[in-house]
Amino acid sequence: MTKSRTNSLDFLSGLELMIDSYQGKEQIFGVNLNPAIVRLSCEEGCVKVIEMARRLGVTADTVRFYTRIKILKPGKNKANGYREYSEKDYNRLRFVLSARQLGFSVEDIQEILNHADNKKSPCPTVRRLIDQRLHETERQLRETLKLRDRMQQAVLEWSQKPDKAPTGHMLCHLIEEFTAEERL
Amino acid sequence: MTKSRTNSLDFLSGLELMIDSYQGKEQIFGVNLNPAIVRLSCEEGCVKVIEMARRLGVTADTVRFYTRIKILKPGKNKANGYREYSEKDYNRLRFVLSARQLGFSVEDIQEILNHADNKKSPCPTVRRLIDQRLHETERQLRETLKLRDRMQQAVLEWSQKPDKAPTGHMLCHLIEEFTAEERL
DNA sequence: CTTGACCTGTGTCTTGGACACAGGTGTAAG
DNA sequence: CTTACACCTGTGTCCAAGACACAGGTCAAG
């Protein structure tokens, strides 16, 4: 019953301090639970939304978002309606955040999770999707690069040009002359 | 009255073929208009939305969009309610498209146009805004670059790894192991 | 007269959350 | 006990720059 006792909370990777807030609940995700206390407060292991968010370094809104679109399916405390996130939800969310870091869209992730939920290997899908996303990212990169070069070129050229008032058919000579000479 | 006759349509930069559709209207944006015809069909020079769009190589939806947010203020044919885009609208839209090419947001453009509409030089605003946007674009570029590198690295590493079925706490070993080793 | 191409205004969709709001809950202090 | 405050819920809206849909009006050709 001490902090040093190992239990399923190990998945929390070193954030032992928050165990303080669970004193008196025996174990959270382990066995040996006191049924009376558990049923009242936290059915088979729970954390609330803000705690879940903090553990993975995101906002509560992010956790709520993934709950809303049903990527996370927390239980619900009958007494007060609060959501109860389990270790399974923690693993899912950690996975989702990892996948987002790799450029997968939320829709991609839902597809991947569908495979995993049906015990099928999501790996072929993952390989196919990252190929797509990589191509898109490379295209995006080229476009952003071209845009940056245009912008830098504009700043450079404009540094030699004076301000002018607009005329009938020229609203801003900086912008319009720059674009015009681009066409040469 | 022939196609070779020069008039204000010159601003259409070489797209002479569509003058065919204006036969009988005398000149469109010039002088020497036949008042009777003009008042009936097209008050002091007009093109309709699809024609305007085609001339600048965008979709009719884009023209409608800028009309909706009041960057373009076409006249309105009393008889049929059709919008009538003038040379002024053409110049504005051309300006807008140029500015978009330089990374200005629509809101930026509205600010710039406000200056121009009040006969004030928009140039100081333009210089300030492009500095901002350039910084943002550079940040964006760095992020996209990092993302691409992560993705390429993942594809490379995954090429040596087999597919696996999901386990209790590992939904996709490719993604989760990749992210995990990133933290080293 | 019908067909088809065009026009209108309006509303909704896209991404990945962020923010707002009304109302319920839990807890510690006064 | 009351009050304050932090937290929770669901729902709705917002962002950018258009794209798309839809119901209904217009117009010229066959």
Side-chain angles (χ1 to χ4, degrees):
Chain A
M1 231 54 59
T2 67
K3 288 185 187 177
S4 62
R5 177 164 169 185
T6 61
N7 61 25
S8 298
L9 275 169
D10 286 346
F11 81 88
L12 297 168
S13 57
L15 289 166
E16 296 183 26
L17 69 161
M18 88 285 169
I19 295 183
D20 290 339
S21 53
Y22 295 98
Q23 284 176 351
K25 286 177 190 163
E26 313 291 325
Q27 287 184 262
I28 305 302
F29 295 124
V31 288
N32 293 336
L33 294 153
N34 178 326
I37 294 176
V38 165
R39 204 174 316 124
L40 274 175
S41 58
C42 236
E43 200 120 18
E44 63 184 42
C46 83
V47 291
K48 281 175 282 186
V49 63
I50 213 169
E51 188 55 30
M52 184 73 166
R54 202 185 52 70
R55 288 179 188 186
L56 285 163
V58 295
T59 69
D61 272 319
T62 300
V63 178
R64 288 201 189 96
F65 172 68
Y66 287 117
T67 306
R68 181 156 23 178
I69 64 174
K70 300 192 170 47
I71 277 186
L72 301 181
K73 293 159 191 163
K76 205 161 177 176
N77 185 316
K78 300 320 198 247
N80 58 16
Y82 288 11
R83 286 145 171 175
E84 299 172 343
Y85 294 91
S86 67
E87 179 174 2
K88 192 182 157 206
D89 293 310
Y90 176 89
N91 286 330
R92 273 176 100 83
L93 182 52
R94 194 190 48 193
F95 168 78
V96 168
L97 298 175
S98 300
R100 297 276 309 124
Q101 283 283 311
L102 276 169
F104 291 99
S105 72
V106 171
E107 204 175 344
D108 292 343
I109 291 170
Q110 282 172 318
E111 188 179 343
I112 294 167
L113 285 173
N114 276 343
H115 285 282
D117 289 345
N118 297 329
K119 321 280 188 207
K120 289 186 292 195
S121 172
C123 299
T125 301
V126 167
R127 295 179 200 273
R128 174 174 55 81
L129 287 173
I130 201 161
D131 269 2
Q132 274 179 237
R133 297 302 173 210
L134 179 53
H135 282 305
E136 289 170 17
T137 302
E138 282 171 338
R139 189 182 43 72
Q140 167 80 30
L141 189 62
R142 286 192 300 273
E143 276 176 28
T144 307
L145 197 57
K146 270 166 49 187
L147 175 59
R148 190 206 51 180
D149 290 348
R150 269 201 306 277
M151 296 173 89
Q152 283 182 337
Q153 186 65 27
V155 169
L156 185 65
E157 290 182 19
W158 293 354
S159 66
Q160 319 244 16
K161 289 189 174 188
D163 292 356
K164 279 187 192 170
T167 70
H169 71 303
M170 194 72 102
L171 293 160
C172 174
H173 74 113
L174 297 179
I175 288 174
E176 296 182 76
E177 285 169 10
F178 181 80
T179 305
E181 73 191 50
E182 288 295 290
R183 291 185 185 160
L184 300 180
Chain B
M1 230 55 56
T2 66
K3 289 183 185 178
S4 61
R5 179 166 169 183
T6 62
N7 62 23
S8 297
L9 277 169
D10 286 346
F11 80 89
L12 297 168
S13 59
L15 288 167
E16 296 184 26
L17 68 160
M18 87 286 169
I19 296 182
D20 289 339
S21 54
Y22 295 97
Q23 285 176 350
K25 286 176 192 166
E26 311 294 322
Q27 286 182 263
I28 306 301
F29 296 123
V31 288
N32 293 337
L33 294 153
N34 178 325
I37 294 176
V38 166
R39 202 175 318 123
L40 273 177
S41 57
C42 238
E43 201 120 18
E44 64 185 42
C46 84
V47 292
K48 282 174 283 186
V49 62
I50 212 170
E51 188 55 32
M52 185 74 165
R54 203 184 53 70
R55 288 179 189 186
L56 284 163
V58 295
T59 69
D61 272 319
T62 299
V63 178
R64 289 202 189 94
F65 171 69
Y66 288 116
T67 307
R68 177 147 40 168
I69 65 175
K70 300 191 169 46
I71 277 186
L72 301 181
K73 293 159 189 161
K76 205 161 176 176
N77 185 314
K78 301 315 201 250
N80 57 18
Y82 288 10
R83 286 145 170 173
E84 298 171 343
Y85 293 90
S86 67
E87 178 173 4
K88 191 182 159 210
D89 293 309
Y90 175 90
N91 286 330
R92 273 177 100 83
L93 182 53
R94 192 191 48 193
F95 167 78
V96 168
L97 298 175
S98 300
R100 298 277 305 122
Q101 282 283 311
L102 276 170
F104 292 100
S105 73
V106 170
E107 205 175 344
D108 292 344
I109 292 169
Q110 281 173 319
E111 189 179 343
I112 294 167
L113 285 172
N114 275 345
H115 284 282
D117 289 345
N118 295 330
K119 320 279 190 211
K120 289 186 293 195
S121 172
C123 299
T125 302
V126 167
R127 296 180 201 273
R128 174 175 54 80
L129 287 173
I130 201 159
D131 270 1
Q132 275 180 237
R133 297 303 173 211
L134 179 53
H135 282 304
E136 289 171 16
T137 302
E138 281 170 340
R139 188 182 42 72
Q140 168 81 30
L141 189 62
R142 285 193 300 272
E143 276 176 29
T144 307
L145 196 56
K146 269 167 49 188
L147 175 59
R148 191 207 51 180
D149 290 348
R150 269 202 306 279
M151 295 173 89
Q152 283 182 338
Q153 187 64 28
V155 169
L156 184 65
E157 290 182 20
W158 294 353
S159 66
Q160 319 244 17
K161 288 191 175 188
D163 293 355
K164 278 188 195 171
T167 70
H169 72 301
M170 193 72 101
L171 292 159
C172 173
H173 74 116
L174 298 178
I175 290 173
E176 296 182 77
E177 286 170 10
F178 181 80
T179 305
E181 74 191 51
E182 288 295 291
R183 289 184 185 159
L184 299 180

